[in-house]
Amino acid sequence: MVSWSGRRKVLTILAFIGPTILGILALNIYPIIYNVYISFTNRNQYHPNPDCSIFLTSIIEPGCWPMFRSDAGLGTPYVLQDPLLENYDSLIGKLFTGDGVLAMLRLVLVIVPLIVAGQVNKRLERQLDRQVPSYLVWLGGIALTVLLVWVLDAGGAMKTLQDGSAFFIVIFRTLLFVAITVPINYIFGLILALILNGEHIKGRTFFRSVMIIPWAASTMFIIMSLIWQFFFREQGTINQIIRAFGGEGTAWLANGNYAMAAIILVNLWFSFPFCFNIILGSLQSIPVDQYEAADVDGATYWQQLVNITLPLLRPSVLPAIVLSAIGAGGFQMFGTVWAMTAGGPSQGAGVPGATELVMVYAYKQVFQFNAYAKAGAFAVIIFAFLFIATLYSLRVTRITKGAYE
Amino acid sequence: MSRRPRPLVMVLQYVFLGFMTLFALYPIWFVIIASGRVGSRLYTLNLLGMFIPTEWSFENYQLMLSGTPYPFLTWMRNSLFVAGLTTVACLLIATSAAFAFSRFRFYGREFGLVLLLAIQAFPGVLSLVPVAQLLTAFQLYASHWGLILAYTVGNLVFTTWLMKGYFDTIPVEIEEAAMIDGCGPIQSFLLVGLPMAKPALAVTALLAFMGGWGEYVFASVLIPAPDARRTLMVGMYSLANTQSIPWGYFAAGAVMTIIPVILVYTYFQKYLVGGLTLGGVKG
């Protein structure tokens, strides 16, 4: 590009990205700093107000800034916690006692055989004539895992951890939710895309247009979730169908496991069109001659799928998968759960409800229990996790390249 | 893959397609049926009514449009206002930032891009309290302008990435030619970059608009009351959260909210799919 430098360059660039920086500073960075600070205090329903005579508080609280200064409301002001990490301790402290660490170690050990199996398979893949088929390796890994679950008493370890902290329950449940819902969404998307990419299907345009509809509706997830919630009610569609066949339905959303399954199903409805479109898009960019060559070599459909299609889909689909997993359709799922179950059904006082995922838990802590400080500590831990996950996803996607590289 | 699959496979494929079509369409179809049924219940106790319209009247629609007891049209106007201005602000701010990130080389460019995305990872729900406090200080709390501000910044990173992804695919040579002819960077942006980015602008605008149109959590917290100032999603949610839910009215409102969006999405289908794969960021 034509060279232009010095002050003019700085000013021009600032003019272009200045507003963005300002907005991000005020409404993204400031909340992060605020949450970090508040997580060290005891701000809750009993101590809701800032004490402007404390230096840090007077900087961080807009209500303390000279131009906005207003009389503080009733109630005692919040102060820094005495052991400074009190909130963090109450959230994850119990995980780091002797019992907790031991239990976590046992859980980690249980999945080691699966990781080893994956690595062994990768190694074997590079050999020209592999003697051991991959399913045997996987079977071995799974068998070993099952054995370890039994030997190490993984169930007991889980129980130790869950009794210890609501934090663990919520995180573990959310990770489990992501591990189930994201693959389901993408598998349905993949099957659909594979079918609709074939030339023998009639009405392909029609089907593609149909699949757009849930995508459009998913932008108004609150309304659609409320409608879906209706299907699962005691007098809802599903129970009526069951009754028509002589069965007896249940109140689906009053049962923890069913409620979770319902949310996964609704999330599938919201998400599969996106997955389908992403996969179809990259399927169409695979050159046909690859398949023609494979046909000449006599490869079956499944061999072509495993050895051509899936590997070529990987670079464009993997980023989407990672982003789904850490985004609003995965780890940060909120709206659908909120509209369908609001985190319930309840599992007893003080214990998170059966569908209380990370964001629902945080929302409840803030807006139902006014536990600002505790929620702040929670936010900081979650953010650390999401920050790393995002950086990892960037490594996978390599989308930071500019026009010149 | 030019071989014709076996008949059995073909049948299975059509069965799967049919199943997915039903799955995709049924909830929408169901709301449409329910919206034509008088009474406060979404369901009849006969099974047939769940699948085909056994009765039809426009009473629910009339009531929703009449403004009492639910100010539906006001909600809709609020949402249009908020989402519309969010879109305009987003396009103005994000497009220029995206152009700079794509075309200018400056210290911290790549770092800034990554930082934007990583900061965005902070969950929105948890930044609500500080955002609300900040808006209160600036007297923007409980006002549509505060909501627009929050939405604009909330959409900023995603739209910047989307637009940058598109600018990256436009060859630089054209702008270089313009600059040799004497265009400054701002002129080359306005006269060359923007006109070429029209398809991406359309997609970005649509997604930013839908972001504001369908958002619920921020709207419910930042605009607590009164009823007349609520946005559509908050209003509809409050409708479904009353003691005896007026399902018929809810369904009529839902149809009037959802169908236009579906039509727009169907119309923009090609651009949407293309835009998302180009930007590489989820919408």
Side-chain angles (χ1 to χ4, degrees):
Chain A
M1 204 169 254
V2 182
S3 70
W4 40 289
S5 57
R7 249 171 63 132
R8 230 190 101 208
K9 177 176 172 177
V10 173
L11 282 179
T12 316
I13 288 173
L14 265 186
F16 272 99
I17 62 174
T20 306
I21 294 177
L22 261 182
I24 299 286
L25 270 180
L27 293 182
N28 277 342
I29 300 209
Y30 165 71
I32 295 174
I33 297 173
Y34 182 88
N35 262 306
V36 172
Y37 176 67
I38 215 75
S39 70
F40 295 118
T41 70
N42 64 351
R43 188 171 185 207
N44 58 23
Q45 63 195 113
Y46 307 112
H47 314 275
N49 295 311
D51 178 358
C52 294
S53 60
I54 299 174
F55 176 66
L56 272 174
T57 307
S58 72
I59 291 179
I60 212 104
E61 283 280 355
C64 286
W65 299 345
M67 57 281 203
F68 305 127
R69 191 133 207 177
S70 58
D71 291 324
L74 298 169
T76 27
Y78 64 80
V79 289
L80 287 177
Q81 288 277 27
D82 189 9
L84 200 59
L85 294 174
E86 171 68 31
N87 294 319
Y88 293 91
D89 191 43
S90 78
L91 271 178
I92 54 173
K94 290 212 181 86
L95 295 182
F96 293 99
T97 55
D99 279 353
V101 171
L102 206 66
M104 280 197 283
L105 215 65
R106 271 148 72 193
L107 284 182
V108 170
L109 270 179
V110 164
I111 56 166
V112 164
L114 290 180
I115 299 171
V116 171
Q119 290 300 324
V120 167
N121 258 330
K122 246 186 206 165
R123 192 57 70 75
L124 287 177
E125 204 95 302
R126 294 199 200 109
Q127 295 175 356
L128 282 176
D129 50 338
R130 58 179 304 172
Q131 265 97 41
V132 197
S134 71
Y135 68 88
L136 263 185
V137 180
W138 279 116
L139 268 183
I142 291 170
L144 215 55
T145 300
V146 172
L147 190 70
L148 277 179
V149 165
W150 182 64
V151 170
L152 293 172
D153 187 19
M158 281 294 297
K159 203 164 163 9
T160 317
L161 289 171
Q162 288 184 333
D163 289 343
S165 76
F167 178 83
F168 179 81
I169 301 180
V170 171
I171 296 277
F172 183 79
R173 181 182 294 145
T174 311
L175 290 178
L176 198 65
F177 170 75
V178 173
I180 295 172
T181 198
V182 173
I184 288 184
N185 295 345
Y186 276 89
I187 285 171
F188 271 83
L190 177 69
I191 298 176
L192 261 183
L194 284 175
I195 293 179
L196 287 181
N197 196 37
E199 292 140 23
H200 306 290
I201 298 290
K202 297 212 168 56
R204 280 188 294 168
T205 347
F206 165 74
F207 286 119
R208 273 181 218 173
S209 303
V210 165
M211 299 313 161
I212 277 281
I213 287 173
W215 190 10
S218 74
T219 52
M220 293 152 292
F221 56 86
I222 281 286
I223 293 181
M224 286 319 297
S225 302
L226 287 168
I227 291 161
W228 269 102
Q229 186 220 42
F230 173 80
F231 296 157
F232 291 103
R233 285 177 172 234
E234 271 198 275
Q235 305 295 335
T237 311
I238 292 174
N239 278 355
Q240 290 206 30
I241 295 175
I242 292 177
R243 270 188 215 121
F245 285 100
E248 193 52 51
T250 56
W252 299 96
L253 297 178
N255 174 309
N257 290 332
Y258 290 153
M260 204 57 164
I263 285 167
I264 288 171
L265 183 74
V266 177
N267 197 33
L268 171 68
W269 192 80
F270 281 135
S271 308
F272 84 86
F274 175 79
C275 310
F276 159 69
N277 277 305
I278 289 276
I279 296 176
L280 186 65
S282 59
L283 271 183
Q284 286 167 343
S285 67
I286 298 178
V288 191
D289 46 4
Q290 301 249 7
Y291 295 108
E292 282 164 1
D295 272 338
V296 171
D297 290 344
T300 65
Y301 178 80
W302 292 107
Q303 283 171 333
Q304 293 184 13
L305 180 70
V306 172
N307 295 316
I308 301 175
T309 314
L310 292 183
L312 286 177
L313 283 182
R314 206 182 117 102
S316 54
V317 176
L318 191 63
I321 292 180
V322 176
L323 285 171
S324 302
I326 59 180
F331 192 79
Q332 298 192 53
M333 158 69 62
F334 178 82
T336 307
V337 178
W338 188 247
M340 294 224 350
T341 64
S346 162
Q347 305 217 308
V351 185
T355 55
E356 218 166 305
L357 301 181
V358 167
M359 287 306 134
V360 182
Y361 176 77
Y363 183 87
K364 280 189 157 180
Q365 290 298 319
V366 176
F367 294 101
Q368 285 188 353
F369 307 118
N370 291 344
Y372 304 108
K374 195 177 158 199
F378 189 71
V380 171
I381 299 171
I382 296 296
F383 179 50
F385 171 75
L386 286 176
F387 193 86
I388 294 166
T390 307
L391 291 185
Y392 171 74
S393 78
L394 281 179
R395 245 190 58 138
V396 181
T397 57
R398 299 162 164 276
I399 42 180
T400 49
K401 284 191 202 144
Y404 289 91
E405 279 97 340
Chain B
M1 285 198 268
S2 50
R3 280 174 302 178
R4 195 179 174 79
R6 274 170 296 160
L8 178 68
V9 177
M10 288 292 279
V11 169
L12 281 179
Q13 287 184 344
Y14 277 115
V15 168
F16 184 77
L17 280 179
F19 173 75
M20 288 311 276
T21 309
L22 270 183
F23 178 60
L25 291 184
Y26 178 66
I28 307 287
W29 175 236
F30 176 77
V31 206
I32 297 176
I33 300 175
S35 71
R37 193 174 295 140
V38 189
S40 66
R41 295 186 147 192
L42 189 52
Y43 43 86
T44 60
L45 287 177
N46 79 47
L47 186 63
L48 206 60
M50 296 274 176
F51 298 98
I52 51 171
T54 47
E55 47 177 309
W56 184 267
S57 89
F58 281 101
E59 219 167 278
N60 294 324
Y61 289 90
Q62 275 169 359
L63 183 122
M64 286 307 274
L65 292 174
S66 74
T68 44
Y70 312 107
F72 179 76
L73 282 181
T74 317
W75 291 341
M76 198 166 232
R77 203 184 55 215
N78 291 342
S79 276
L80 276 176
F81 176 73
V82 170
L85 279 185
T86 301
T87 311
V88 174
C90 249
L91 282 190
L92 280 177
I93 299 174
T95 310
S96 59
F99 187 78
F101 277 124
S102 173
R103 289 298 192 254
F104 304 155
R105 299 235 261 175
F106 52 89
Y107 180 74
R109 185 183 66 97
E110 204 151 315
F111 177 74
L113 267 173
V114 175
L115 196 69
L116 277 187
L117 214 59
I119 281 169
Q120 191 73 358
F122 192 81
V125 170
L126 291 161
S127 65
L128 259 171
V129 172
V131 166
Q133 286 182 351
L134 202 65
L135 291 179
T136 311
F138 285 97
Q139 300 195 329
L140 287 171
Y141 183 65
S143 122
H144 289 149
W145 295 101
L147 197 59
I148 291 169
L149 195 67
Y151 282 171
T152 305
V153 178
N155 274 328
L156 218 51
V157 172
F158 153 69
T159 35
T160 306
W161 271 88
L162 199 65
M163 287 304 299
K164 182 200 162 279
Y166 192 80
F167 280 131
D168 284 352
T169 64
I170 301 176
V172 216
E173 285 73 22
I174 305 175
E175 282 149 56
E176 281 179 338
M179 290 183 94
I180 289 168
D181 289 343
C183 270
I186 294 176
Q187 276 170 310
S188 82
F189 167 60
L190 291 177
L191 301 177
V192 184
L194 269 192
M196 281 195 298
K198 261 184 206 152
L201 280 175
V203 173
T204 313
L206 182 62
L207 292 177
F209 185 87
M210 289 318 303
W213 179 259
E215 207 281 339
Y216 167 76
V217 187
F218 270 66
S220 72
V221 173
L222 294 183
I223 303 191
D227 214 21
R229 231 188 262 166
R230 286 186 168 144
T231 60
L232 197 48
M233 293 304 132
V234 185
M236 291 295 285
Y237 184 78
S238 74
L239 207 76
N241 241 20
T242 45
Q243 268 299 320
S244 63
I245 307 169
W247 281 116
Y249 308 145
F250 178 83
V255 169
M256 288 188 279
T257 317
I258 291 170
I259 300 300
V261 179
I262 290 178
L263 293 180
V264 171
Y265 262 65
T266 315
Y267 184 75
F268 280 107
Q269 191 175 348
K270 230 177 242 165
Y271 300 101
L272 265 173
V273 176
L276 278 187
T277 33
L278 261 184
V281 181
K282 174 166 184 179

